Amino acid sequence: MQKNMLDKSKNQGLWQAMSLAGQLGYTITIPLVVLALVGRFLDKKYNSSPWFLLGGILLSLAITSIWITKKSMAIMDEMNEDLKKQNENLAKLSENNDKIIRN
């Protein structure tokens, strides 16, 4: 029974990791491609190659950095909440064990 629960926990962790990797991939790829294409279009229109392209890439790096920072902070907050709950559960378990030992 415990082994089955551990396997489910490992699978859940794997799926969470894969989901996060996918989210980060899209967070990086979409702004980079869109802004690079816009920059390339503007460079052709104004004959200013490669300045708009480089500007688009730099802007995408800034946007991506902000999004990843926000996502990382949200994940860390969620992990902290989970750890607090685990610590509370362990404290309750310890109290119950102490009561059992005393009786």
Side-chain angles (χ1 to χ4, degrees), residues 26-87:
Y26 285 118
T27 299
I28 294 167
T29 303
I30 291 173
L32 180 62
V33 170
V34 169
L35 292 172
L37 289 173
V38 169
R40 187 167 186 251
F41 169 78
L42 292 173
D43 278 335
K44 285 186 176 186
K45 184 175 181 176
Y46 296 111
N47 197 24
S48 60
S49 186
W51 299 112
F52 282 111
L53 173 65
L54 292 174
I57 291 171
L58 291 175
L59 182 59
S60 74
L61 289 173
I63 291 170
T64 300
S65 297
I66 292 168
W67 284 352
I68 289 175
T69 300
K70 286 183 179 182
K71 181 68 176 173
S72 298
M73 296 301 280
I75 290 170
M76 287 191 297
D77 289 343
E78 185 179 317
M79 288 174 65
N80 282 335
E81 289 299 318
D82 288 344
L83 287 174
K84 285 179 186 177
K85 288 178 186 177
Q86 287 177 359
N87 286 338

